[in-house]
Amino acid sequence: MARLLRSATWELFPWRGYCSQKAKGELCRDFVEALKAVVGGSHVSTAAVVREQHGRDESVHRCEPPDAVVWPQNVEQVSRLAALCYRQGVPIIPFGTGTGLEGGVCAVQGGVCVNLTHMDRILELNQEDFSVVVEPGVTRKALNAHLRDSGLWFPVDPGADASLCGMAATGASGTNAVRYGTMRDNVLNLEVVLPDGRLLHTAGRGRHFRFGFWPEIPHHTAWYSPCVSLGRRKSAAGYNLTGLFVGSEGTLGLITATTLRLHPAPEATVAATCAFPSVQAAVDSTVHILQAAVPVARIEFLDEVMMDACNRYSKLNCLVAPTLFLEFHGSQQALEEQLQRTVQQNGASDFSWAKEAEERSRLWTARHNAWYAALATRPGCKGYSTDVCVPISRLPEIVVQTKEDLNASGLTGSIVGHVGDGNFHCILLVNPDDAEELGRVKAFAEQLGRRALALHGTCTGEHGIGMGKRQLLQEEVGAVGVETMRQLKAVLDPQGLMNPGKVL
């Protein structure tokens, strides 16, 4: 079906050969002038340095610059830009903060990069309904600063100060997912400009749904789920179009606004670190903490290599050993008793509480800077991060095996992860100009991805497919799954203009 649609599209749009007809890095003058007519001359650039800045992210993938960069100021301009590119068969690459790790902004076929950061308004805050509507230029830190005095917050925290619409586009997750869920759990509605310029509201214009709060559930209850206790929206109206676009990585349309679920700010927050004699002991403790229904909001694992890097980079003084970083929302006394009983059975040592806000901030800043701490251990190299996620019962098995493989590989790397939901990363350092080393890194990553699939996990818990995991996606969802995705893509984007070369 997809092939037939592409064939029919070629006959309908004979100009689709844009990328092969012109040298990459060039757009005809009339087309550039048409872009300027939409957004203004000062909001269009074809300068090489600007294009190169927009053709790379934090990943190891080589820079693939677009032919032009535009900065729309509102959704009407985005719609007109999309329609213009659609008529001329020009690829479109959405751009947020450029913090992705899978080459999602690389312009593999040239085209126009649409930088959405100038659209940075918080459009609507519904405190009683626990929701907010934001434009693509709003980052998670900016939103939480805006919410500071409201008693609400947005907890999805991937580490980087990413744009919230970009986080929706990649299906981001992060350190708080064990308690509050991922972007898929917290996006209520999306405003999307489709490839031909039409405007779609995935749950209907203005809809954000009112929550019905459940009675407080004791944390020791066996089936306790923090996401459930915070309430849920309800709708059984048709297909879940919001879910289709969350995680679509810019391949189906441009997200120009997102409606997010907000959560009550916790009354009390306590953080802690505890070191362990081995990787096995640390990961086993993670499973025991979750099985004991300790109300943990974050539970992060760092191996001894990463702890050493974080000590150096963030000026910490932690024991260089496999370590858990934890944060809890609730009664401090009850949490201390429960946690210490849980971790001490696995040989935890150097147990330290961070009770003051400044202490907690320093601790989590160090964790969020782990990527840069790892890069600092081998200056001049790039980082490659794996992103597998497995059922929590299989986590000790895969982490221990991965640590053994990493030690035996001769590669420079460390392990860090959001182990509370079975997600962890190997951060591998590689010289991108060394083809042999780059090949070994990619082989290691593919082997790890396949091991996760064999354990009924996924090749990507939060970074997305991008350019590098397309084969693993096919192995994960099967040929029929991929073909179904191709058919959906062909219907929504028949010319294949939206962020080509990604996901499929």
Side-chain angles (χ1 to χ4, degrees):
M1 178 179 175
R3 286 191 295 271
L4 289 173
L5 280 168
R6 285 194 292 270
S7 176
T9 296
W10 180 268
E11 294 177 3
L12 289 169
F13 303 96
W15 52 79
R16 180 61 186 95
Y18 152 79
C19 291
S20 59
Q21 291 170 4
K22 296 192 69 65
K24 195 172 176 186
E26 296 181 17
L27 286 173
C28 69
R29 182 177 300 175
D30 288 347
F31 186 79
V32 174
E33 291 303 314
L35 294 175
K36 292 179 179 179
V38 174
V39 298
S42 63
H43 297 135
V44 177
S45 178
T46 56
V49 64
V50 175
R51 293 189 296 109
E52 288 177 6
Q53 288 172 350
H54 287 78
R56 65 164 63 94
D57 55 13
E58 297 280 1
S59 74
V60 75
H61 297 288
R62 289 188 179 277
C63 174
E64 298 279 359
D67 300 325
V69 181
V70 297
W71 287 264
Q73 310 300 301
N74 54 57
V75 65
E76 291 78 14
Q77 290 183 358
V78 176
S79 179
R80 291 172 62 195
L81 287 169
L84 175 62
C85 290
Y86 189 81
R87 289 195 301 269
Q88 298 299 319
V90 177
I92 303 169
I93 305 93
F95 189 96
T97 55
T99 55
L101 293 170
E102 295 296 339
V105 300
C106 294
V108 296
Q109 294 182 15
V112 174
C113 173
V114 181
N115 185 317
L116 296 160
T117 55
H118 287 192
M119 298 171 59
D120 58 359
R121 295 177 300 164
I122 296 173
L123 298 174
E124 183 180 356
L125 173 61
N126 301 289
Q127 289 185 242
E128 292 183 353
D129 291 336
F130 296 85
S131 70
V132 67
V133 184
V134 300
E135 289 187 322
V138 180
T139 66
R140 65 173 184 87
K141 287 184 179 179
L143 174 60
N144 280 324
H146 181 81
L147 295 172
R148 185 173 292 125
D149 297 327
S150 70
L152 302 173
W153 73 312
F154 185 71
V156 181
D157 179 3
D161 189 23
S163 68
L164 292 160
C165 289
M167 288 165 59
T170 58
S173 179
T175 57
N176 285 309
V178 65
R179 183 176 180 93
Y180 297 101
T182 70
M183 287 301 287
R184 291 189 184 277
D185 303 301
N186 288 281
V187 174
L188 304 177
N189 199 352
L190 293 170
E191 178 186 79
V192 181
V193 172
L194 296 175
D196 60 3
R198 289 177 298 158
L199 192 62
L200 168 69
H201 294 88
T202 57
R205 185 184 294 271
R207 309 217 180 269
H208 54 267
F209 303 95
R210 187 173 181 86
F211 294 171
F213 276 83
W214 289 38
E216 181 64 24
I217 301 169
H219 291 309
H220 61 266
T221 302
W223 58 273
Y224 166 72
S225 167
C227 292
V228 168
S229 73
L230 290 172
R232 61 172 73 175
R233 67 168 177 108
K234 281 187 176 181
S235 174
Y239 297 131
N240 183 0
L241 296 179
T242 303
L244 175 63
F245 282 88
V246 173
S248 61
E249 302 184 39
T251 62
L252 301 179
L254 298 112
I255 298 176
T256 52
T258 179
T259 303
L260 300 170
R261 170 187 298 182
L262 301 178
H263 297 256
E267 291 183 14
T269 302
V270 178
T273 62
C274 48
F276 292 84
S278 67
V279 170
Q280 178 86 53
V283 183
D284 282 346
S285 279
T286 299
V287 178
H288 294 154
I289 289 169
L290 296 173
Q291 289 175 339
V294 177
V296 61
R298 310 191 207 193
I299 180 165
E300 300 285 301
F301 169 75
L302 294 81
D303 72 0
E304 73 282 358
V305 178
M306 182 58 78
M307 284 305 304
D308 185 47
C310 286
N311 278 345
R312 295 170 185 270
Y313 186 84
S314 298
K315 306 297 187 292
L316 298 180
N317 190 31
C318 295
L319 187 67
V320 177
T323 300
L324 292 180
F325 283 31
L326 308 105
E327 186 169 280
F328 312 91
H329 299 166
S331 162
Q332 180 179 328
Q333 180 178 355
L335 292 173
E336 286 185 9
E337 293 173 355
Q338 274 188 295
L339 181 68
Q340 288 179 345
R341 281 201 309 269
T342 302
V343 298
Q344 284 175 352
Q345 63 183 304
N346 290 306
S349 62
D350 201 39
F351 196 88
S352 174
W353 287 99
K355 302 175 182 178
E356 301 301 322
E358 187 175 346
E359 284 183 90
R360 295 198 311 271
S361 176
R362 183 166 175 263
L363 184 68
W364 289 113
T365 297
R367 166 61 188 91
H368 287 328
N369 287 336
W371 172 260
Y372 302 104
L375 293 179
T377 64
R378 194 178 173 191
C381 288
K382 297 281 285 183
Y384 184 95
S385 177
T386 66
D387 183 38
V388 300
C389 187
V390 298
I392 195 69
S393 63
R394 311 307 294 269
L395 185 66
E397 174 185 349
I398 193 171
V399 174
V400 170
Q401 183 62 59
T402 300
K403 182 66 175 178
E404 293 174 358
D405 291 347
L406 184 57
N407 290 338
S409 69
L411 297 170
T412 302
S414 53
I415 298 178
V416 61
H418 320 304
V419 288
D421 51 6
N423 183 207
F424 72 96
H425 315 294
C426 285
I427 299 179
L428 307 169
L429 302 180
V430 58
N431 178 356
D433 297 320
D434 186 335
E436 188 274 336
E437 184 180 40
L438 190 58
R440 288 193 293 128
V441 164
K442 290 182 177 179
F444 180 95
E446 288 180 2
Q447 179 188 32
L448 177 54
R450 292 190 172 99
R451 178 177 293 133
L453 297 183
L455 296 176
H456 305 293
T458 177
C459 65
T460 177
E462 58 184 1
H463 296 165
I465 297 297
M467 296 173 63
K469 296 193 178 85
R470 287 175 289 181
Q471 177 58 40
L472 287 172
L473 173 65
Q474 180 159 337
E475 295 175 27
E476 181 167 332
V477 303
V480 174
V482 169
E483 184 59 22
T484 301
M485 292 182 192
R486 290 190 188 280
Q487 291 170 356
L488 289 168
K489 166 80 169 170
V491 169
L492 290 168
D493 182 19
Q495 296 190 64
L497 297 178
M498 287 303 310
N499 209 8
K502 318 299 160 47
V503 183
L504 298 172

